[in-house]
Amino acid sequence: MIVGNYLAAAALFLLGLFTVLSRRNLVKIVMGLSLMESSTYLLLISMAYRSGSTAPVLLSPPSGSTEQSLARGNVADPVLQNFCLTAIVIGVAVTAVFLSVVVRVAQHQRSTDSDQVRGMRG
Amino acid sequence: MTGRQESHDEHGRHRTWAAVALVAGMAVLLLLAVTDLPREAAPLPTVAREAMTSALPAWGSTEPVSVVVYGSRGFDTFGETFLLLAAVASVLLLTRRRERRAGFQGEEVAATRERSEQDPHPTSGRNEREARAAEREEEREDSDGPDASWSVPPRLPGLTVVVQGAARVLAPALAVAGLYLFAFGSSPGGGFPAGGVALGVLLLLYAAFGRHLVRQVTSAAGVEVVELAGAAVIVLIAVVGLVAEGSLTANWLPLTRPGGFRSGGILQPFSGAELVEVGTGLVLVTFALLDLRHDWADDTPEGPGREQ
Amino acid sequence: MSLFWLLDYVCLALLLACAFLVVVLRNLSGAVMALSATGGLLTFVFVLLGAPDDAHAEAVVGAVALPTLYLVALGKIRTDVEDAGDIGEVDAHPADPGSGS
Amino acid sequence: MRTVVAALLVLVGLWFSLSGAVGVLRMPDVYSRVQSGTKAITMGALPVLLASAVATGVTSYNTSRAVLIGLLIAITNPAASHALVRAAYRAGIPQWSGAVRDDGHRHEPDRSR
Amino acid sequence: MTGLMGTAALLELLVVGVLVVRLAAGPTVSDRIVALNAISTQITLSLVCLAIWADRSLYLDVGLWLGSFSYLGTLLWARFLERGLL
């Protein structure tokens, strides 16, 4: 059933890719990149899930289990969640870099249309 | 105008079809790749099992994700922090203001030296110094004052009193909760989200009260020092681990009872340094983008966006 | 289908709907808002799949950091781009006659 | 007994949430949409939070969080809507053509604050 | 009891579906902000129900953060709307 999540992540990635390829507005292109980042997060978290698992946090375990039993029990993969955490922070930083480039381009070229920007090259 | 628009639309349609074709190809690839991934019935990998079972005995922390982030994969987090630092540096570089290059660089220093050679005992120094100070002050106010740009609606200092009241209630609560998020690393949280909360508190104050309240806190010069200090703390933690325990990001602090503030050994200071790093990085990036002005005046000689 | 997967799929459907909005909305502010909604729904999926840490980070990023960055950029761009038809407050093609400004 | 109370509270909350959402969808202009977006949605939130407190017992960890979330929503939702409506009015978004009163202009001198 | 709360979470999410229509259609930015704010509130409520259903009180914290940040987001949007830039 988790394959539905994988497919949703793929669809999200494709939507982002379509935006990057087909839209002319530079801000829209950056949004497409944000969507692609989101799809990565979704894929990582979906891959971390195991059927019937709970969060890999030992504090206040669900009723009927202790910290020790939870550590050996059915939990989601903490390593993949950690990858996702790293990816989220890097995603924000990268978006900020993209957006400052876009703003500079808009100030310089008086347009955010990628065709016009390319046309004024050289 | 319309003709140009139409030709653009024509071009845009071609582009859409090309995009659809490429996306369809990518879709097939992704479909093949994604259906072949391990499903939810697969057993946990050994690494994950090891992280789960060693979190409590070896690190004294009830949060395996933090253990992985700051402990077992600490070196990766270290590298990722410096990636963040690089991103912040590039945003600052992109948004910096044009330097004043009207004159010859170092003119003032040379002039002072020359003057002191010619006249070693300046008598009218006081007046001149005051005048210069006043001039500098004026210059500073000029460049730092409210945005006198065109087409910008009149800027009010902040939003209404209702919003300000709610912000007064919420900002301290958010700040305390953000500190809780970092301090009790035994619950989910840690440096990354708490750094985001720091940005949130500053933005709340900025949105409700206006720029002047946060100008001191968000000046790039001060925040950069704090950010580099955070990076230095991370390096220090790693180096002490290398010297004392023989490996980077080894735990060299005593373990305490799990669930408390000091549980988890070096995880907490590492997390705090990450909080500083991420928080200052996001603040620097956001407010640098916010303070960005027009400064490529060359291509519009009499454009209204021209500075000075 | 159990309740868990029902929740998961409903949330994913909403997520994809919001992502689709990001792509098709001509109004850039609206697209940013759809992106923000995507972040919120992603937070829910994260909690559902047992990743509260990532949910914390995503909540902060989706609700505050990304919209702020995009809004700042849109505000900066608006004063520079002449044919800023789709940055404004109303859609470029006013669908509702009562809303033109 | 507890389950029945929680179920009733959840139903009440859901009813208000749904009517708020339908109001946001169907109302004719921004100013009326904000009405349902604030009042009905906030009113939909509080019973559900109460139900969550009832369902797990009043002394549990959930209750403190539920109270906190409830306070937060009760403070912030009206303030946010206030800011939003004011901004919308200033931005010149017109009222519904069927509106009979516009008291906003009386407060326009406030703009110079 | 637990099934009740899971169903409640599902229904709150379905309310989000109604609001997404307004997010898509809203002729002005303000309409969309109203919808976005309501969506955040609904997701928060859904998270509260989910936390009880999954029997992890940790999840409630996420709802708390989402609720407080939705206010901040709306405030930023209102500021943007009022003066055209942030």
Side-chain angles (χ1 to χ4, degrees):
Chain A
M1 298 300 270
I2 196 73
V3 79
N5 284 37
Y6 295 161
L7 290 177
L12 206 54
F13 185 88
L14 293 175
L15 274 173
L17 188 67
F18 179 75
T19 314
V20 171
L21 290 175
S22 74
R23 292 292 180 256
R24 295 212 311 264
N25 194 319
L26 290 175
V27 182
K28 259 301 178 50
I29 291 177
V30 179
M31 280 180 206
L33 289 167
S34 289
L35 281 184
M36 286 156 88
E37 282 163 8
S38 301
S39 81
T40 318
Y41 311 154
L42 183 56
L43 184 67
L44 283 173
I45 294 297
S46 303
M47 282 173 70
Y49 181 75
R50 293 293 178 274
S51 56
S53 72
T54 181
V57 178
L58 308 181
L59 193 73
S60 63
S63 56
S65 60
T66 62
E67 288 171 357
Q68 279 75 21
S69 74
L70 189 61
R72 287 182 182 74
N74 188 10
V75 290
D77 188 344
V79 178
L80 283 175
Q81 296 192 358
N82 157 37
F83 288 163
C84 179
L85 199 58
T86 307
I88 289 175
V89 176
I90 293 300
V92 178
V94 166
T95 307
V97 176
F98 284 151
L99 282 176
S100 47
V101 171
V102 168
V103 172
R104 277 307 191 205
V105 167
Q107 285 185 351
H108 196 54
Q109 309 272 15
R110 304 247 154 208
S111 167
T112 51
D113 189 328
S114 59
D115 279 354
Q116 290 183 19
V117 169
R118 195 185 309 141
M120 291 165 102
R121 176 180 58 191
Chain B
M1 182 65 202
T2 51
R4 208 192 71 186
Q5 203 67 37
E6 266 166 23
S7 78
H8 266 296
D9 281 351
E10 193 68 24
H11 191 84
R13 207 166 301 129
H14 284 309
R15 181 187 288 231
T16 307
W17 285 119
V20 165
L22 275 168
V23 165
M26 193 72 193
V28 174
L29 277 180
L30 276 180
L31 203 66
L32 289 179
V34 146
T35 46
D36 213 28
L37 282 174
R39 304 285 170 82
E40 74 266 38
L44 271 187
T46 325
V47 182
R49 198 38 83 189
E50 163 72 20
M52 282 305 296
T53 46
S54 72
L56 204 51
W59 290 87
S61 171
T62 52
E63 232 260 307
V65 182
S66 280
V67 170
V68 177
V69 173
Y70 303 119
S72 347
R73 261 186 82 244
F75 193 65
D76 247 10
T77 307
F78 174 77
E80 179 252 336
T81 302
F82 282 81
L83 197 59
L84 186 67
L85 206 63
V88 170
S90 52
V91 170
L92 285 181
L93 199 65
L94 279 166
T95 58
R96 79 186 194 286
R97 308 176 65 178
R98 193 168 38 140
E99 289 145 21
R100 292 173 195 220
R101 289 250 169 93
F104 156 61
Q105 294 270 311
E107 188 180 23
E108 215 167 312
V109 179
T112 313
R113 197 184 302 134
E114 197 175 323
R115 218 178 312 137
S116 66
E117 273 170 11
Q118 284 177 355
D119 183 11
H121 304 292
T123 49
S124 65
R126 190 187 154 84
N127 271 342
E128 195 183 323
R129 231 177 294 133
E130 274 176 6
R132 274 182 193 280
E135 199 181 342
R136 266 199 300 276
E137 185 69 24
E138 230 168 52
E139 219 170 39
R140 202 177 59 79
E141 274 179 5
D142 243 19
S143 57
D144 256 354
D147 209 341
S149 182
W150 51 303
S151 82
V152 173
R155 277 192 141 175
L156 299 170
L159 294 177
T160 62
V161 68
V162 177
V163 175
Q164 291 187 354
R168 271 201 194 94
V169 175
L170 197 61
L174 263 185
V176 170
L179 281 180
Y180 168 83
L181 204 57
F182 141 69
F184 285 88
S186 52
S187 65
F192 293 116
V197 174
L199 171 71
V201 171
L202 277 178
L203 277 174
L204 180 62
L205 292 177
Y206 167 71
F209 296 99
R211 186 77 170 92
H212 64 96
L213 192 71
V214 290
R215 186 182 295 275
Q216 290 292 324
V217 194
T218 57
S219 73
V223 179
E224 252 179 299
V225 173
V226 178
E227 176 171 39
L228 290 178
V233 168
I234 295 180
V235 173
L236 190 71
I237 290 170
V239 167
V240 169
L242 188 62
V243 171
E245 301 280 330
S247 79
L248 287 169
T249 71
N251 185 23
W252 46 272
L253 279 173
L255 295 175
T256 59
R257 193 177 53 80
F261 172 61
R262 277 169 56 235
S263 70
I266 65 159
L267 300 185
Q268 285 293 349
F270 202 160
S271 166
E274 279 292 332
L275 158 71
V276 168
E277 195 70 23
V278 174
T280 53
L282 290 181
V283 166
L284 269 179
V285 162
T286 310
F287 283 89
L289 208 54
L290 206 55
D291 285 343
L292 178 138
R293 302 270 183 88
H294 241 287
D295 49 16
W296 286 340
D298 299 339
D299 49 343
T300 53
E302 62 273 326
R306 195 160 46 107
E307 236 187 6
Q308 272 103 38
Chain C
M1 194 186 292
S2 69
L3 192 51
F4 180 89
W5 294 111
L6 209 57
L7 267 172
D8 189 29
Y9 287 164
V10 166
C11 198
L12 285 178
L14 289 171
L15 185 69
L16 286 178
C18 285
F20 187 67
L21 282 184
V22 174
V23 182
V24 298
L25 278 184
R26 276 190 53 79
N27 185 328
L28 282 183
S29 310
V32 176
M33 256 178 259
L35 200 62
S36 186
T38 310
L41 289 164
L42 208 54
T43 307
F44 186 86
V45 177
F46 285 0
V47 174
L48 191 68
L49 297 181
D53 301 81
D54 303 291
H56 279 296
E58 181 62 36
V60 176
V61 167
V64 179
L66 276 189
T68 308
L69 288 172
Y70 278 105
L71 282 187
V72 172
L74 286 185
K76 299 284 171 199
I77 289 171
R78 162 184 280 177
T79 52
D80 283 304
V81 180
E82 283 125 10
D83 50 348
D86 47 3
I87 299 181
E89 272 127 32
V90 183
D91 275 350
H93 44 84
D96 186 348
S99 71
S101 82
Chain D
M1 180 61 203
R2 207 193 253 174
T3 313
V4 173
V5 173
L8 281 179
L9 282 170
V10 164
L11 272 183
V12 169
L14 271 172
W15 173 250
F16 274 101
S17 289
L18 187 62
S19 53
V22 170
V24 169
L25 188 63
R26 296 282 303 156
M27 285 282 188
D29 69 345
V30 184
Y31 306 101
S32 6
R33 278 173 203 145
V34 170
Q35 297 299 322
S36 51
T38 311
K39 293 178 190 144
I41 296 278
T42 310
M43 183 57 208
L46 299 181
V48 172
L49 292 168
L50 198 59
S52 78
V54 167
T56 55
V58 180
T59 51
S60 68
Y61 180 85
N62 289 16
T63 307
S64 59
R65 299 300 154 122
V67 166
L68 217 56
I69 294 176
L71 272 180
L72 206 69
I73 287 178
I75 292 176
T76 57
N77 247 354
S81 302
H82 164 82
L84 177 58
V85 170
R86 193 183 169 89
Y89 193 81
R90 290 240 178 123
I93 293 172
Q95 282 187 324
W96 176 44
S97 53
V100 291
R101 271 180 82 102
D102 178 11
D103 283 342
H105 61 272
R106 260 194 250 146
H107 303 293
E108 272 311 276
D110 275 358
R111 181 187 286 245
S112 60
R113 193 184 61 84
Chain E
M1 173 62 72
T2 52
L4 165 73
M5 278 313 193
T7 317
L10 184 62
L11 291 177
E12 297 279 0
L13 264 190
L14 289 179
V15 173
V16 172
V18 178
L19 291 164
V20 167
V21 177
R22 180 45 75 193
L23 186 70
T28 63
V29 170
S30 321
D31 296 310
R32 295 197 167 117
I33 303 173
V34 175
L36 185 64
N37 196 13
I39 285 175
S40 297
T41 313
Q42 289 305 313
I43 293 177
T44 307
L45 289 182
S46 192
L47 276 176
V48 170
C49 297
L50 179 72
I52 292 168
W53 182 56
D55 199 14
R56 294 307 295 267
S57 46
L58 296 165
Y59 297 170
L60 278 172
D61 289 2
V62 183
L64 194 60
W65 285 113
L66 208 59
S68 44
F69 284 132
S70 80
Y71 171 62
L72 182 48
T74 312
L75 214 57
L76 290 170
W77 278 107
R79 198 181 161 92
F80 180 74
L81 190 61
E82 195 163 327
R83 54 198 75 191
L85 51 103
L86 208 62

